Amino acid sequence: MRAVSLTFPTVLSGFVAVLVGYASSAAIIWQAAAAAGATPTQIAGWMTALGMGMGISTLLLSWWYKAPVLTAWSTPGAALLATSLQGVTLAETIGIFIFANALILLCGVTGLFARLMKIIPHSLAAAMLAGVLLRFGLQAFSNMDGHLVLCGSMLLAWLAAKAVAPRYAIVATLLVGAAVAGLNGDVVTEKLTLTLVMPQFIAPSFTLTTLISIGIPFFLVTMASQNAPGFATLKASGYPVAVSPLIIATGGLALLLAPLGVYSICIAAITAAICQSPDAHPDPDKRWLAAAAAGVFYLLAGVFGGSITGVMAALPLSWIQTLAGLALLGTISGSLYQALHNERERDAAIVTFLLTASGVTLGGIGSAFWGLVAGGVCYLVLLRPRRA
């Protein structure tokens, strides 16, 4: 039966993907909302709407395409908003959300973004993915400096389980890490409460100055630093899903929910890689179930959107980062192999990998975009003479 494929490691991959997504950037979203003048209740409502939007889109798209299509908010976009919304009214902020998501929807309808994604070589897409994920893999080991007992025990648990039961390696890592963190008193639950906060409708206001100075950069950052890596991740993992329909679906849903505080719904990259890895399911055709599980956890996170900050504060950051790094090791190694195994494309791929991993930001656009640009230039310059 098909339901038998929904094993515990598959469900756990979905849970870890959502956990990593919220842990890595929920605080940035709160900062962005606070900069716009939103009250704590309104911010909690934004988190509810975001969780529901990502949950619905992830569930429907993964089921429809039978591929691990995970959606997410735009972390680079949230970082840009957090530094740009000072002095902007809440109504003008909602106007920026509507304007940027309308531009994203237009990219999907016209097919412009799809044509761009088709010309990216597979080796460069894999190199970019490896570069994006590198810092997460490094955190699996760098946290041992200062958290040796917790991170060391998680690493040993992962290694032991990988040797005898590879599919349950992350399960063992999670359980051992949770037990050690609990025994050390690193899990703080005193202020942890589960509350339901409904999102509030906020009427938008549009001003030309904010749309040009914030809306357009926000649109560019979201497309270049979130959606482009997301589609490259799908491509590198062996899921060449049609680009334009996904952009239309995610951009349209974000546009519809923007008055409730949904600033973006994009194609996930880093967290999606967890659901697209062999640890999620040995059969690539069944890994969509991990993304579907993530959709359910998104919905649960949305229902208790007001409690997300408390949950994140209760868990040790080193535990979350080590778990994410170990969960992504298989994807990192697979991406590096795909990027570098073709000798003719190796130079261009290593430029893409290193520039992406550098984390440099130029013109407000993240390193993933510039890694692809630099790698693409090397690809054209170096391969053309060789072919001649």
Side-chain angles (χ1 to χ4, degrees):
M1 298 241 345
R2 195 179 189 87
V4 176
S5 297
L6 192 61
T7 60
F8 185 61
T10 302
V11 175
L12 182 64
S13 294
F15 171 75
V16 171
V18 173
L19 176 66
V20 170
Y22 271 82
S24 62
S25 54
I28 301 175
I29 295 172
W30 277 71
Q31 292 172 22
T39 65
T41 301
Q42 288 173 324
I43 298 174
W46 287 21
M47 299 301 291
T48 297
L50 281 164
M52 300 300 289
M54 293 185 299
I56 292 171
S57 56
T58 295
L59 271 172
L60 292 180
L61 292 174
S62 296
W63 172 78
W64 180 260
Y65 287 102
K66 294 298 185 292
V69 180
L70 196 71
T71 62
W73 51 48
S74 171
T75 300
L80 183 145
L81 292 173
T83 58
S84 305
L85 291 178
Q86 295 291 342
V88 179
T89 67
L90 199 56
E92 290 173 339
T93 299
I94 297 300
I96 292 169
F97 295 172
I98 292 174
F99 174 70
N101 285 310
L103 290 179
I104 292 173
L105 179 61
L106 184 63
C107 282
V109 172
T110 59
L112 178 64
F113 192 66
R115 288 194 291 272
L116 177 63
M117 292 304 298
K118 283 183 179 179
I119 66 176
I120 298 176
H122 184 76
S123 60
L124 300 192
M128 188 208 65
L129 174 59
V132 169
L133 299 181
L134 178 63
R135 67 183 180 91
F136 290 86
L138 293 175
Q139 285 173 349
F141 304 96
S142 61
N143 277 303
M144 295 178 70
D145 184 10
H147 304 89
L148 180 60
V149 175
L150 174 61
C151 301
S153 63
M154 294 176 71
L155 181 59
L156 290 174
W158 175 85
L159 182 61
K162 199 74 174 176
V164 297
R167 288 201 64 199
Y168 293 89
I170 298 302
V171 179
T173 305
L174 183 148
L175 294 177
V176 170
V180 173
L183 291 173
N184 287 343
D186 294 332
V187 181
V188 182
T189 59
E190 285 80 1
K191 297 182 180 180
L192 182 60
T193 58
L194 298 178
T195 56
L196 175 61
V197 179
M198 295 299 294
Q200 301 177 12
F201 178 87
I202 301 172
S205 174
F206 301 94
T207 59
L208 184 61
T209 303
T210 56
L211 295 184
I212 294 176
S213 62
I214 303 176
I216 292 179
F218 173 60
F219 157 72
L220 293 174
V221 165
T222 298
M223 293 301 285
S225 299
Q226 186 66 53
N227 274 325
F231 282 106
T233 300
L234 277 167
K235 183 177 180 181
S237 299
Y239 300 99
V241 181
V243 173
S244 290
L246 292 187
I247 291 293
I248 293 172
T250 54
L253 183 59
L255 179 61
L256 180 66
L257 298 178
L260 302 180
V262 175
Y263 72 100
S264 72
I265 297 177
C266 307
I267 303 301
I270 296 168
T271 51
I274 297 174
C275 296
Q276 295 162 6
S277 71
D279 290 332
H281 202 288
D283 185 355
D285 293 333
K286 301 293 176 59
R287 291 173 194 163
W288 71 272
L289 294 169
V296 174
F297 288 117
Y298 269 144
L299 292 175
L300 292 175
V303 169
F304 298 106
S307 307
I308 292 301
T309 301
V311 172
M312 293 300 103
L315 296 169
L317 181 60
S318 57
W319 179 82
I320 295 172
Q321 291 178 340
T322 303
L323 183 67
L326 293 175
L328 289 168
L329 286 185
T331 303
I332 295 171
S333 60
S335 298
L336 283 174
Y337 172 78
Q338 294 175 47
L340 303 176
H341 83 281
N342 188 332
E343 186 177 355
R344 293 190 307 158
E345 302 176 4
R346 192 171 295 167
D347 291 331
I350 199 65
V351 168
T352 300
F353 168 70
L354 292 176
L355 184 50
T356 301
S358 71
V360 66
T361 299
L362 301 173
I365 299 177
S367 59
F369 173 79
W370 295 117
L372 278 178
V373 170
V377 171
C378 293
Y379 184 90
L380 292 175
V381 171
L382 297 177
L383 259 70
R384 185 167 295 176
R386 292 177 185 176
R387 285 174 179 171

